Amino acid sequence: MAYSAPRGTVDILSDNSGQWQQLEQLLRTICANYNVKEMRTPIFEHTELFTRAVGDTTDVVTKEMYTFEDKKGRSMTLRPEGTAGIARSYVENKLYALPEKLQKYYYMGPMFRYERPQSGRQRQFHQFGVE
Protein backbone atom coordinates (compact mmCIF):
# COMPACT_ATOMS: atom_id res chain seq x y z
CA MET A 1 0.00 0.00 0.00
CA ALA A 2 1.36 3.41 -0.94
CA TYR A 3 1.02 6.21 1.58
CA SER A 4 0.49 9.83 0.68
CA ALA A 5 -0.36 13.04 2.51
CA PRO A 6 -4.09 13.52 3.07
CA ARG A 7 -5.91 15.51 0.40
CA GLY A 8 -5.57 19.23 0.95
CA THR A 9 -2.32 19.01 2.92
CA VAL A 10 1.31 19.45 1.96
CA ASP A 11 4.61 18.52 3.50
CA ILE A 12 7.01 21.38 4.23
CA LEU A 13 10.27 19.77 3.24
CA SER A 14 13.76 20.80 4.28
CA ASP A 15 14.20 22.73 1.01
CA ASN A 16 11.43 25.12 2.10
CA SER A 17 11.56 24.99 5.89
CA GLY A 18 14.34 27.59 6.02
CA GLN A 19 12.13 30.04 4.13
CA TRP A 20 9.29 29.35 6.57
CA GLN A 21 11.61 30.00 9.52
CA GLN A 22 12.83 33.27 7.96
CA LEU A 23 9.28 34.46 7.37
CA GLU A 24 8.21 33.53 10.91
CA GLN A 25 11.23 35.35 12.36
CA LEU A 26 10.52 38.43 10.25
CA LEU A 27 6.91 38.48 11.50
CA ARG A 28 8.09 38.09 15.12
CA THR A 29 10.58 40.94 14.69
CA ILE A 30 7.97 43.27 13.20
CA CYS A 31 5.55 42.44 16.01
CA ALA A 32 8.22 43.05 18.66
CA ASN A 33 8.94 46.46 17.10
CA TYR A 34 5.27 47.39 17.59
CA ASN A 35 4.93 45.79 21.06
CA VAL A 36 2.63 43.06 19.77
CA LYS A 37 2.97 39.94 21.91
CA GLU A 38 2.57 36.34 20.82
CA MET A 39 -0.30 34.21 22.08
CA ARG A 40 -0.52 30.49 21.36
CA THR A 41 -3.93 28.90 21.74
CA PRO A 42 -4.89 25.22 21.44
CA ILE A 43 -5.17 23.71 17.99
CA PHE A 44 -8.71 22.60 18.91
CA GLU A 45 -11.44 24.27 20.95
CA HIS A 46 -15.00 23.57 22.00
CA THR A 47 -17.21 23.80 18.91
CA GLU A 48 -19.50 26.36 20.55
CA LEU A 49 -16.65 28.88 20.56
CA PHE A 50 -16.66 28.98 16.75
CA THR A 51 -20.41 28.68 16.24
CA ARG A 52 -20.90 31.63 18.56
CA ALA A 53 -17.99 33.73 17.25
CA VAL A 54 -18.33 33.08 13.53
CA GLY A 55 -22.11 32.52 13.42
CA ASP A 56 -23.82 29.16 13.21
CA THR A 57 -25.22 29.76 9.71
CA THR A 58 -21.99 30.73 7.95
CA ASP A 59 -20.33 28.40 5.47
CA VAL A 60 -17.35 28.02 7.80
CA VAL A 61 -19.56 26.55 10.54
CA THR A 62 -22.08 24.60 8.45
CA LYS A 63 -19.70 23.09 5.88
CA GLU A 64 -16.05 23.73 6.55
CA MET A 65 -15.16 22.89 10.16
CA TYR A 66 -13.39 19.72 11.22
CA THR A 67 -15.60 18.78 14.16
CA PHE A 68 -15.44 15.62 16.24
CA GLU A 69 -16.62 14.27 19.58
CA ASP A 70 -14.06 13.47 22.25
CA LYS A 71 -14.31 10.37 24.43
CA LYS A 72 -16.68 12.16 26.80
CA GLY A 73 -19.03 13.16 23.98
CA ARG A 74 -18.05 16.85 23.89
CA SER A 75 -18.04 18.52 20.48
CA MET A 76 -14.56 19.76 19.59
CA THR A 77 -13.34 21.54 16.45
CA LEU A 78 -9.91 21.99 14.89
CA ARG A 79 -9.44 25.75 14.72
CA PRO A 80 -10.63 27.23 11.41
CA GLU A 81 -9.33 30.71 12.34
CA GLY A 82 -7.41 32.41 15.16
CA THR A 83 -9.57 35.26 16.43
CA ALA A 84 -12.04 33.20 18.48
CA GLY A 85 -9.31 31.40 20.43
CA ILE A 86 -7.49 34.67 21.14
CA ALA A 87 -10.71 36.27 22.42
CA ARG A 88 -11.49 33.23 24.59
CA SER A 89 -8.03 33.25 26.12
CA TYR A 90 -8.11 37.02 26.65
CA VAL A 91 -11.33 36.75 28.66
CA GLU A 92 -10.57 33.45 30.40
CA ASN A 93 -7.18 34.68 31.63
CA LYS A 94 -8.51 38.15 32.54
CA LEU A 95 -5.93 39.88 30.36
CA TYR A 96 -8.25 42.89 30.26
CA ALA A 97 -7.26 43.52 33.91
CA LEU A 98 -3.60 44.07 33.07
CA PRO A 99 -2.31 47.60 33.69
CA GLU A 100 -1.45 48.08 30.01
CA LYS A 101 -4.27 50.03 28.37
CA LEU A 102 -3.73 48.72 24.85
CA GLN A 103 -2.84 45.07 24.42
CA LYS A 104 -2.02 43.59 21.05
CA TYR A 105 -1.49 39.91 20.35
CA TYR A 106 -0.44 37.96 17.30
CA TYR A 107 -0.83 34.32 16.41
CA MET A 108 0.58 32.09 13.73
CA GLY A 109 0.13 28.43 13.06
CA PRO A 110 -1.92 25.77 11.36
CA MET A 111 -5.65 26.23 10.80
CA PHE A 112 -8.08 23.73 9.33
CA ARG A 113 -11.04 24.05 6.98
CA TYR A 114 -12.81 21.17 5.34
CA GLU A 115 -13.42 22.51 1.88
CA ARG A 116 -12.88 21.04 -1.49
CA PRO A 117 -9.30 22.11 -2.14
CA GLN A 118 -9.05 24.50 -5.07
CA SER A 119 -5.85 25.54 -6.76
CA GLY A 120 -3.57 27.11 -4.16
CA ARG A 121 -5.86 26.30 -1.20
CA GLN A 122 -5.33 23.66 1.46
CA ARG A 123 -7.40 22.00 4.14
CA GLN A 124 -4.55 22.54 6.56
CA PHE A 125 -3.06 25.99 6.07
CA HIS A 126 -0.92 28.38 8.07
CA GLN A 127 -2.19 31.77 9.13
CA PHE A 128 -0.76 34.83 10.81
CA GLY A 129 -2.95 37.45 12.44
CA VAL A 130 -2.91 40.35 14.89
CA GLU A 131 -5.68 41.09 17.37
Side-chain angles (χ1 to χ4, degrees), residues 80-83 107-111 113 125-129:
E81 53 89 25
T83 302
Y107 60 87
M108 70 173 83
M111 309 288 165
R113 288 203 181 159
F125 57 97
H126 291 75
Q127 185 172 317
F128 167 82

Side-chain angles (χ1 to χ4, degrees), residues 33-124:
N33 289 341
Y34 288 93
N35 198 30
V36 180
K37 299 174 183 163
E38 182 178 18
M39 184 182 291
R40 296 184 188 194
T41 59
I43 205 158
F44 62 92
E45 299 268 6
H46 293 281
T47 301
E48 306 87 54
L49 180 70
F50 300 111
T51 58
R52 193 167 184 190
V54 178
D56 57 3
T57 59
T58 64
D59 279 352
V60 171
V61 171
T62 59
K63 301 177 190 172
E64 298 178 4
M65 293 195 323
Y66 275 99
T67 300
F68 60 95
E69 283 191 7
D70 67 7
K71 290 183 179 182
K72 291 189 176 183
R74 296 172 292 209
S75 183
M76 308 300 276
T77 296
L78 295 176
R79 64 181 179 206
E81 53 89 25
T83 302
I86 296 290
R88 181 217 28 91
S89 180
Y90 183 84
V91 172
E92 180 181 356
N93 294 291
K94 297 179 176 65
L95 298 176
Y96 51 82
L98 293 175
E100 301 170 24
K101 295 281 185 214
L102 180 61
Q103 298 169 50
K104 301 170 281 188
Y105 296 98
Y106 75 90
Y107 60 87
M108 70 173 83
M111 309 288 165
F112 303 86
R113 288 203 181 159
Y114 188 89
E115 59 185 341
R116 185 180 188 120
Q118 301 166 9
S119 178
R121 300 188 82 174
Q122 301 294 325
R123 289 180 172 170
Q124 177 183 330

Side-chain angles (χ1 to χ4, degrees), residues 4-42:
S4 60
R7 183 177 178 181
T9 66
V10 295
D11 296 316
I12 299 171
L13 302 176
S14 59
D15 292 350
N16 293 357
S17 64
Q19 292 172 319
W20 276 86
Q21 291 169 357
Q22 287 177 345
L23 176 59
E24 290 169 351
Q25 187 54 50
L26 175 62
L27 292 169
R28 285 185 175 94
T29 300
I30 292 169
C31 286
N33 289 341
Y34 288 93
N35 198 30
V36 180
K37 299 174 183 163
E38 182 178 18
M39 184 182 291
R40 296 184 188 194
T41 59

